[in-house]
Amino acid sequence: MPATPAWPPASTPRLFVDQPLGPGLVLTLDGAPANYLANVMRVKAGAPVRLFDDATGEWLAEVTDAGRRAVTLQLTTHLRAREAVPDLWLLFAPIKKDRLHYLVEKATELGAARLQPVVTHRAIVDRPNPERLRAHMIEAAEQCDRTALPELGEPEKLASLLATWPADRMLLFADEKGGHAFADVARPVPTAILIGPEGGFTDEERAAIRAVPQAIPVSLGPRILRAETAAAAALAAWMSHAGDWGTR
Ligand code: SAM
């Protein structure tokens, strides 16, 4: 007996829409989403599309009209609620643009709940473009099946972040000068991982971080990793020891 083909098919396009979704809603997409559906995915009337809004979860919609510049869809099925990702923040000193986009993409795929740019002494840029970062978060969420977008914090100076550090949040400080193994310290509790700039933290910054009661230095091994690699490695290590890996 041939297996019933999965519905919606795995090839179904998946898009984030920045408006609340609900049962039976009819919406018309234009601009880049319409171009993607009409001219890249070549959807026709009747085709399925998966939509999520970072609030109500994920919905199945049916194309009712597909023009070259606008695509109209009607929501048919609520597929799943917005996921609850582990309470894990990634704090990072902004790095060069392309590497920063890579970092944001990987942090979204790996399940970070919040991305927080931290202005440190050796950070090369103070204010990365938030629209660009958000666009990379959305693209990564569309691709990796996330229904909850990470929060994106306003850049904050390291000193003020440490001065108001929340008492209930563990601060895992990735220190290339050495620290604990993730296996020994990662716990399923509210946590933040701090990654330094390409130039590293100054000794004064290192001392200020280590002075925070919730701060624990962690090692990512004997080699000096690029900041974006360190971020991905640290998130993966925490997710495998204390996160939601193994819950798919
Ligand atoms: N310029 C620094 C140096 O030469 O010592 C290296 C900085 S590294 C490129 C950028 C950030 O990645 C560091 O501040 C740290 O947070 C993290 N990192 C890189 N390698 C690491 C390791 N082996 N263990 C822990 N953290 C690491």
Side-chain angles (χ1 to χ4, degrees), residues 174-176 194-201 218-221 223-227 230:
D175 191 350
E176 66 274 17
L194 173 57
I195 303 290
E198 283 310 331
F201 292 107
V218 286
S219 171
L220 293 167
R223 288 164 293 281
I224 302 286
L225 310 178
R226 285 185 172 278

mmCIF file of all heavy atoms in Angstrom, residues 174-176 194-201 218-221 223-227 230, ligand 1:
data_model
loop_
_atom_site.group_PDB
_atom_site.id
_atom_site.type_symbol
_atom_site.label_atom_id
_atom_site.label_comp_id
_atom_site.label_asym_id
_atom_site.label_seq_id
_atom_site.Cartn_x
_atom_site.Cartn_y
_atom_site.Cartn_z
ATOM 1 N N ALA A 174 32.689 33.331 27.821
ATOM 2 C CA ALA A 174 33.637 32.566 26.992
ATOM 3 C C ALA A 174 34.990 33.267 27.058
ATOM 4 O O ALA A 174 35.157 34.369 26.513
ATOM 5 C CB ALA A 174 33.151 32.478 25.557
ATOM 6 N N ASP A 175 35.933 32.649 27.755
ATOM 7 C CA ASP A 175 37.235 33.278 27.989
ATOM 8 C C ASP A 175 38.342 32.457 27.353
ATOM 9 O O ASP A 175 38.605 31.329 27.773
ATOM 10 C CB ASP A 175 37.488 33.420 29.497
ATOM 11 C CG ASP A 175 38.691 34.300 29.776
ATOM 12 O OD1 ASP A 175 39.416 34.630 28.816
ATOM 13 O OD2 ASP A 175 38.913 34.643 30.954
ATOM 14 N N GLU A 176 38.995 33.034 26.348
ATOM 15 C CA GLU A 176 40.050 32.289 25.652
ATOM 16 C C GLU A 176 41.255 32.067 26.557
ATOM 17 O O GLU A 176 42.142 31.272 26.239
ATOM 18 C CB GLU A 176 40.463 33.003 24.371
ATOM 19 C CG GLU A 176 41.125 34.347 24.545
ATOM 20 C CD GLU A 176 40.134 35.488 24.662
ATOM 21 O OE1 GLU A 176 38.941 35.216 24.928
ATOM 22 O OE2 GLU A 176 40.544 36.658 24.545
ATOM 23 N N LEU A 194 28.460 35.055 26.903
ATOM 24 C CA LEU A 194 29.129 36.294 26.491
ATOM 25 C C LEU A 194 30.341 35.979 25.630
ATOM 26 O O LEU A 194 31.225 35.228 26.060
ATOM 27 C CB LEU A 194 29.550 37.097 27.733
ATOM 28 C CG LEU A 194 30.404 38.339 27.527
ATOM 29 C CD1 LEU A 194 29.725 39.348 26.598
ATOM 30 C CD2 LEU A 194 30.727 38.999 28.878
ATOM 31 N N ILE A 195 30.349 36.551 24.415
ATOM 32 C CA ILE A 195 31.446 36.344 23.470
ATOM 33 C C ILE A 195 32.135 37.668 23.201
ATOM 34 O O ILE A 195 31.459 38.688 22.936
ATOM 35 C CB ILE A 195 30.918 35.776 22.142
ATOM 36 C CG1 ILE A 195 30.143 34.465 22.353
ATOM 37 C CG2 ILE A 195 32.045 35.603 21.131
ATOM 38 C CD1 ILE A 195 30.970 33.266 22.761
ATOM 39 N N GLY A 196 33.438 37.695 23.266
ATOM 40 C CA GLY A 196 34.204 38.928 23.108
ATOM 41 C C GLY A 196 34.454 39.301 21.653
ATOM 42 O O GLY A 196 34.141 38.542 20.740
ATOM 43 N N PRO A 197 35.074 40.474 21.457
ATOM 44 C CA PRO A 197 35.389 40.953 20.109
ATOM 45 C C PRO A 197 36.608 40.224 19.542
ATOM 46 O O PRO A 197 37.309 39.509 20.267
ATOM 47 C CB PRO A 197 35.708 42.431 20.346
ATOM 48 C CG PRO A 197 36.246 42.473 21.734
ATOM 49 C CD PRO A 197 35.494 41.401 22.497
ATOM 50 N N GLU A 198 36.886 40.446 18.253
ATOM 51 C CA GLU A 198 38.053 39.821 17.633
ATOM 52 C C GLU A 198 39.320 40.117 18.426
ATOM 53 O O GLU A 198 40.174 39.261 18.626
ATOM 54 C CB GLU A 198 38.213 40.315 16.197
ATOM 55 C CG GLU A 198 37.261 39.681 15.190
ATOM 56 C CD GLU A 198 37.226 38.158 15.240
ATOM 57 O OE1 GLU A 198 38.253 37.546 15.612
ATOM 58 O OE2 GLU A 198 36.143 37.575 15.026
ATOM 59 N N GLY A 199 39.397 41.325 18.977
ATOM 60 C CA GLY A 199 40.607 41.712 19.719
ATOM 61 C C GLY A 199 40.616 41.185 21.141
ATOM 62 O O GLY A 199 41.589 41.382 21.881
ATOM 63 N N GLY A 200 39.523 40.516 21.551
ATOM 64 C CA GLY A 200 39.447 39.975 22.907
ATOM 65 C C GLY A 200 39.059 41.041 23.924
ATOM 66 O O GLY A 200 38.952 42.236 23.612
ATOM 67 N N PHE A 201 38.813 40.610 25.156
ATOM 68 C CA PHE A 201 38.495 41.541 26.243
ATOM 69 C C PHE A 201 39.790 42.115 26.794
ATOM 70 O O PHE A 201 40.830 41.453 26.784
ATOM 71 C CB PHE A 201 37.764 40.801 27.365
ATOM 72 C CG PHE A 201 36.380 40.317 27.008
ATOM 73 C CD1 PHE A 201 36.132 38.972 26.785
ATOM 74 C CD2 PHE A 201 35.337 41.211 26.900
ATOM 75 C CE1 PHE A 201 34.866 38.520 26.455
ATOM 76 C CE2 PHE A 201 34.063 40.784 26.564
ATOM 77 C CZ PHE A 201 33.824 39.436 26.342
ATOM 78 N N VAL A 218 34.039 30.109 30.870
ATOM 79 C CA VAL A 218 33.993 28.811 30.210
ATOM 80 C C VAL A 218 35.022 28.760 29.085
ATOM 81 O O VAL A 218 35.326 29.780 28.462
ATOM 82 C CB VAL A 218 32.586 28.504 29.646
ATOM 83 C CG1 VAL A 218 31.610 28.154 30.744
ATOM 84 C CG2 VAL A 218 32.058 29.648 28.802
ATOM 85 N N SER A 219 35.518 27.547 28.858
ATOM 86 C CA SER A 219 36.503 27.351 27.790
ATOM 87 C C SER A 219 35.857 26.682 26.581
ATOM 88 O O SER A 219 34.979 25.836 26.738
ATOM 89 C CB SER A 219 37.634 26.447 28.281
ATOM 90 O OG SER A 219 38.454 26.112 27.165
ATOM 91 N N LEU A 220 36.317 27.097 25.418
ATOM 92 C CA LEU A 220 35.871 26.439 24.175
ATOM 93 C C LEU A 220 37.045 25.696 23.561
ATOM 94 O O LEU A 220 37.162 25.598 22.335
ATOM 95 C CB LEU A 220 35.305 27.489 23.201
ATOM 96 C CG LEU A 220 34.010 28.168 23.657
ATOM 97 C CD1 LEU A 220 33.711 29.384 22.801
ATOM 98 C CD2 LEU A 220 32.851 27.198 23.620
ATOM 99 N N GLY A 221 37.939 25.220 24.461
ATOM 100 C CA GLY A 221 39.048 24.408 23.984
ATOM 101 C C GLY A 221 40.336 25.202 23.855
ATOM 102 O O GLY A 221 40.351 26.407 24.112
ATOM 103 N N ARG A 223 42.151 26.087 21.304
ATOM 104 C CA ARG A 223 42.438 26.930 20.121
ATOM 105 C C ARG A 223 41.653 28.243 20.221
ATOM 106 O O ARG A 223 40.567 28.289 20.815
ATOM 107 C CB ARG A 223 42.052 26.183 18.834
ATOM 108 C CG ARG A 223 43.010 25.036 18.510
ATOM 109 C CD ARG A 223 42.417 24.071 17.485
ATOM 110 N NE ARG A 223 41.284 23.351 18.037
ATOM 111 C CZ ARG A 223 41.394 22.295 18.859
ATOM 112 N NH1 ARG A 223 42.589 21.875 19.252
ATOM 113 N NH2 ARG A 223 40.324 21.687 19.332
ATOM 114 N N ILE A 224 42.230 29.317 19.646
ATOM 115 C CA ILE A 224 41.550 30.622 19.655
ATOM 116 C C ILE A 224 40.567 30.653 18.491
ATOM 117 O O ILE A 224 40.968 30.633 17.325
ATOM 118 C CB ILE A 224 42.549 31.779 19.504
ATOM 119 C CG1 ILE A 224 43.602 31.737 20.616
ATOM 120 C CG2 ILE A 224 41.822 33.124 19.500
ATOM 121 C CD1 ILE A 224 43.102 32.168 21.974
ATOM 122 N N LEU A 225 39.293 30.660 18.813
ATOM 123 C CA LEU A 225 38.258 30.635 17.782
ATOM 124 C C LEU A 225 37.903 32.050 17.377
ATOM 125 O O LEU A 225 37.950 32.976 18.196
ATOM 126 C CB LEU A 225 36.998 29.939 18.324
ATOM 127 C CG LEU A 225 37.191 28.574 18.988
ATOM 128 C CD1 LEU A 225 35.856 28.049 19.509
ATOM 129 C CD2 LEU A 225 37.835 27.589 18.030
ATOM 130 N N ARG A 226 37.513 32.234 16.120
ATOM 131 C CA ARG A 226 36.961 33.525 15.720
ATOM 132 C C ARG A 226 35.680 33.735 16.521
ATOM 133 O O ARG A 226 35.007 32.770 16.902
ATOM 134 C CB ARG A 226 36.648 33.538 14.231
ATOM 135 C CG ARG A 226 37.884 33.651 13.349
ATOM 136 C CD ARG A 226 37.506 33.788 11.892
ATOM 137 N NE ARG A 226 38.675 34.093 11.082
ATOM 138 C CZ ARG A 226 39.201 35.309 10.932
ATOM 139 N NH1 ARG A 226 38.644 36.341 11.573
ATOM 140 N NH2 ARG A 226 40.257 35.514 10.188
ATOM 141 N N ALA A 227 35.328 34.979 16.723
ATOM 142 C CA ALA A 227 34.169 35.297 17.571
ATOM 143 C C ALA A 227 32.900 34.611 17.076
ATOM 144 O O ALA A 227 32.142 34.035 17.865
ATOM 145 C CB ALA A 227 33.980 36.807 17.627
ATOM 146 N N ALA A 230 33.149 30.999 17.911
ATOM 147 C CA ALA A 230 32.992 30.818 19.363
ATOM 148 C C ALA A 230 31.521 30.910 19.763
ATOM 149 O O ALA A 230 31.037 30.115 20.566
ATOM 150 C CB ALA A 230 33.813 31.878 20.101
HETATM 151 N N1 SAM B 1 42.204 38.382 20.367
HETATM 152 C C1 SAM B 1 42.004 37.390 21.339
HETATM 153 C C2 SAM B 1 43.273 36.715 21.604
HETATM 154 O O1 SAM B 1 44.045 36.699 20.672
HETATM 155 O O2 SAM B 1 43.433 36.241 22.745
HETATM 156 C C3 SAM B 1 41.035 36.356 20.759
HETATM 157 C C4 SAM B 1 39.639 36.840 20.784
HETATM 158 S S1 SAM B 1 38.583 35.644 20.032
HETATM 159 C C5 SAM B 1 38.913 35.923 18.359
HETATM 160 C C6 SAM B 1 36.992 36.345 20.238
HETATM 161 C C7 SAM B 1 36.195 35.830 21.418
HETATM 162 O O3 SAM B 1 35.843 34.466 21.185
HETATM 163 C C8 SAM B 1 36.915 35.797 22.740
HETATM 164 O O4 SAM B 1 36.847 37.061 23.379
HETATM 165 C C9 SAM B 1 36.136 34.730 23.503
HETATM 166 O O5 SAM B 1 34.965 35.266 24.044
HETATM 167 C C10 SAM B 1 35.804 33.732 22.405
HETATM 168 N N2 SAM B 1 36.764 32.630 22.300
HETATM 169 C C11 SAM B 1 37.576 32.338 21.252
HETATM 170 N N3 SAM B 1 38.281 31.204 21.483
HETATM 171 C C12 SAM B 1 37.910 30.764 22.720
HETATM 172 C C13 SAM B 1 38.272 29.647 23.521
HETATM 173 N N4 SAM B 1 39.153 28.732 23.083
HETATM 174 N N5 SAM B 1 37.686 29.501 24.735
HETATM 175 C C14 SAM B 1 36.775 30.408 25.185
HETATM 176 N N6 SAM B 1 36.376 31.501 24.463
HETATM 177 C C15 SAM B 1 36.942 31.665 23.254
#
